[in-house]
Amino acid sequence: MNEKPPISSPQKPSAKEPITLVRALWVGLAALSFGIGVIGIFLPLLPTTEFMLGAVYCASKGSPRFEAWIRSRRYVGPLITNWERERAIPRRAKFIAVGMISASALFILLHLGSGWLRWAIIALLIGVAAWLITRPEPATRD
């Protein structure tokens, strides 16, 4: 008579489950992070990979479908996979990033006054470029 109720596995959300406020916030944060990551492709001071990783994390909390969509993108999907597996950045991505950083540094040198801010930004850009260059390249090709 001392029967224990069967232990049930956690229920997975159904496809028709209404979106809750918390899930909506996660999805909104994922969309914002993804958008900033896309802008970061063109602006060297915004790190694309970190924002895409944040977008995947937030999307996994709010919408697995959105997470899968982000991972399936042609340009960012492999970057995310390489970073998660090996903490590596492909050579082509490094080349593009360092090229954009160099262009930004040149623009700053030509158009910003000769104050301390100019040199602080240049130092930051050099630091980011050095960090990028020292990251390993992926061992596997996807």
Side-chain angles (χ1 to χ4, degrees):
M1 296 277 168
N2 289 340
E3 290 184 31
K4 293 182 181 177
I7 299 174
S8 62
S9 62
Q11 301 251 338
K12 290 188 176 180
S14 68
K16 297 286 186 181
E17 179 181 307
I19 192 159
T20 63
L21 178 60
V22 172
R23 286 185 63 210
L25 290 173
W26 279 116
V27 171
L29 194 55
L32 178 65
S33 186
F34 182 80
I36 294 171
V38 169
I39 293 169
I41 292 171
F42 306 103
L43 297 176
L45 289 177
L46 293 175
T48 301
T49 304
E50 287 80 354
F51 280 106
M52 291 301 169
L53 289 171
V56 167
Y57 175 80
C58 294
S60 72
K61 299 289 187 185
S63 172
R65 193 170 108 188
F66 188 31
E67 175 192 9
W69 181 83
I70 294 169
R71 288 180 181 278
S72 72
R73 300 299 87 198
R74 186 170 113 192
Y75 293 109
V76 297
L79 289 174
I80 292 168
T81 302
N82 288 332
W83 186 258
E84 287 177 335
R85 285 186 192 158
E86 306 174 44
R87 297 294 188 250
I89 301 172
R91 182 176 294 171
R92 182 173 185 273
K94 288 181 189 182
F95 180 75
I96 291 169
V98 171
M100 294 295 288
I101 289 170
S102 300
S104 295
L106 181 62
F107 182 83
I108 288 167
L109 281 172
L110 295 175
H111 296 288
L112 198 60
S114 61
W116 66 270
L117 181 61
R118 173 190 201 185
W119 298 110
I121 294 172
I122 297 295
L124 177 68
L125 290 173
I126 290 170
V128 170
W131 182 85
L132 278 170
I133 291 169
T134 60
R135 297 306 95 200
E137 292 179 17
T140 59
R141 284 225 179 252
D142 289 330

